[in-house]
């Protein structure tokens, strides 16, 4: 065996442990979910378990809950992605300047993204949005506005606010990297030619950030399609906040319909794969276009 083939064999052998663990953690549960999706299995009636073919999928598509939850997922995800991207752009522009305490400000701005989703939902539910003791209603009372029962009157909005708060730092980091990659000489030349800050930002900075905005939107969309914690902790899926992830949980752990929940899970995976495929292809085109521009 030549040294090149030996080196290749060693490289492949080193990958096998990680590949084996990845298969055990991802593919086996997926196969089990597929198997259960063809079974009629309610945990309250364990003796009536049996093969039902595509009946569970027929229930999923005819029930109406799937399409409603899919629409809720689109609204929640889309609103959170747009809000986080716009706020991320604002904070990225503000942090892309030299000032005292810049590093501290950047560290503090990243903090919400590092908080566990369950902990963030609990903080927002009890400390900020609580009807009696929440800081949001306290602030509204200062200007004479009556208190709002956020988690029951506008549940979808509360979930969107939490997601925007948590994913704005994610968008900010990507957009800040884009701002820092912009040539300072070009900006100085525009200033010398008489272009003001607003004209420079609209005509030069925004076109430069287009690819970074696309990357932010695509990655944030993939991450937010799996949102569960704020819905489960704050709203329980009421008022248009029931996403696909919570619907799956509801069927499995509240309705105890394991077979039907597995079918919902498979449909959710299919939707996620479609979105991820489109996102990755678009992302590949973005990087390909950037590579051609830099040649």
């Amino acid at each position: 065996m030549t040294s090149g083939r030996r080196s290749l064999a060693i490289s492949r052998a080193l990958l096998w442990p990680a590949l084996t663990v990845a298969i055990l953690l991802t593919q086996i549960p997926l196969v089990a979910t597929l198997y259960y999706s063809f079974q009629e299995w309610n945990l309250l009636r364990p003796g009536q378990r049996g093969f039902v073919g595509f009946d569970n999928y027929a229930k999923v598509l005819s029930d109406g809950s799937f399409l409603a939850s899919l629409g809720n997922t689109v609204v929640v995800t889309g609103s959170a992605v747009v809000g986080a991207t716009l706020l991320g752009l604002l904070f990225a522009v503000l942090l892309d300047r030299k000032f005292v305490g810049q590093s501290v400000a950047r560290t503090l701005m990243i903090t919400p993204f590092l908080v566990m989703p369950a902990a963030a939902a609990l903080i927002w539910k009890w400390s900020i949005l609580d009807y009696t003791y929440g800081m949001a209603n306290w602030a509204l009372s200062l200007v004479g506005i009556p208190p709002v029962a956020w988690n029951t009157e506008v549940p979808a909005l509360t979930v969107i606010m939490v997601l925007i708060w948590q994913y704005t730092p994610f968008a900010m980091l990507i957009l800040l990297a884009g701002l820092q990659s912009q040539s300072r000489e070009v900006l100085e030349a525009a200033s010398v030619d008489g272009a003001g800050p607003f004209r420079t930002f609209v005509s030069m900075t925004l076109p430069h950030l287009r690819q970074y905005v696309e990357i932010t939107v695509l990655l944030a969309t993939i991450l937010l399609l799996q949102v569960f914690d704020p819905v489960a902790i704050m709203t329980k899926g009421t008022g248009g906040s029931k996403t696909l992830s919570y619907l799956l949980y509801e069927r499995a752990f509240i309705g105890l319909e394991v077979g039907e929940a597995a079918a919902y899970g498979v449909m959710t995976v299919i939707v996620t794969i479609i979105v991820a495929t489109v996102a990755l292809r678009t992302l590949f085109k973005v990087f390909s276009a950037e590579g051609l521009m830099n040649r």
Side-chain angles (χ1 to χ4, degrees), residues 70-87:
L70 179 60
N72 294 337
T73 304
V74 171
V75 171
V76 171
T77 301
S79 302
V81 169
V82 171
T85 303
L86 292 177
L87 286 177

Side-chain angles (χ1 to χ4, degrees), residues 116-289:
M116 294 179 60
L122 288 171
I123 291 172
W124 275 80
K125 180 178 182 179
W126 298 112
S127 299
I128 301 178
L129 300 180
D130 183 73
Y131 182 81
T132 306
Y133 304 107
M135 290 185 288
N137 284 337
W138 171 78
L140 293 178
S141 68
L142 297 179
V143 292
I145 299 177
V148 179
W150 298 92
N151 295 321
T152 55
E153 293 182 9
V154 284
L157 179 60
T158 61
V159 174
I160 292 171
M161 288 192 299
V162 173
L163 295 177
I164 290 176
W165 174 79
Q166 192 158 27
Y167 281 88
T168 292
F170 173 79
M172 182 196 71
L173 287 175
I174 298 177
L175 297 176
L176 182 59
L179 287 173
Q180 293 180 341
S181 68
Q182 190 175 19
S183 173
R184 300 298 174 184
E185 289 77 10
V186 174
L187 297 177
E188 292 175 359
S191 178
V192 171
D193 289 341
F198 180 78
R199 179 70 180 275
T200 302
F201 179 78
V202 172
S203 301
M204 303 186 66
T205 303
L206 277 183
H208 173 77
L209 289 177
R210 180 187 64 84
Q211 296 173 342
Y212 295 91
V213 171
E214 291 178 354
I215 294 172
T216 301
V217 170
L218 295 174
L219 295 181
T221 300
I222 294 175
L223 291 173
L224 288 173
L225 281 174
Q226 309 168 31
V227 61
F228 173 77
D229 299 76
V231 179
I233 293 174
M234 300 178 66
T235 67
K236 304 297 183 184
T238 59
S241 64
K242 184 183 293 184
T243 60
L244 289 175
S245 299
Y246 188 79
L247 178 63
L248 192 158
Y249 162 81
E250 192 177 62
R251 288 292 189 271
F253 296 100
I254 298 178
L256 302 180
E257 292 284 354
V258 176
E260 189 176 339
Y264 274 107
V266 172
M267 295 298 295
T268 302
V269 168
I270 292 174
V271 171
T272 304
I273 289 175
I274 293 173
V275 173
T277 301
V278 174
L280 290 175
R281 286 185 177 180
T282 306
L283 196 61
F284 177 76
K285 291 180 181 179
V286 170
F287 283 119
S288 299

Side-chain angles (χ1 to χ4, degrees), residues 17 45 49 54 62 67 69 74 82 97 115-116 121 123 135 168 178 206 214 273 289-290 293:
R45 302 185 299 272
R49 178 178 172 182
F54 288 93
S62 62
L67 293 179
S69 295
V74 171
V82 171
R97 303 173 185 276
V115 178
M116 294 179 60
I123 291 172
M135 290 185 288
T168 292
L206 277 183
E214 291 178 354
I273 289 175
E290 185 177 7
M293 291 174 60

Side-chain angles (χ1 to χ4, degrees), residues 79-123:
S79 302
V81 169
V82 171
T85 303
L86 292 177
L87 286 177
L89 177 60
L90 174 63
F91 289 125
V93 171
L94 293 176
L95 291 177
D96 188 38
R97 303 173 185 276
K98 297 294 183 181
F99 59 89
V100 178
Q102 182 186 43
S103 59
V104 176
R106 290 182 179 179
T107 302
L108 293 176
M109 286 300 303
I110 297 171
T111 303
F113 189 63
L114 304 179
V115 178
M116 294 179 60
L122 288 171
I123 291 172

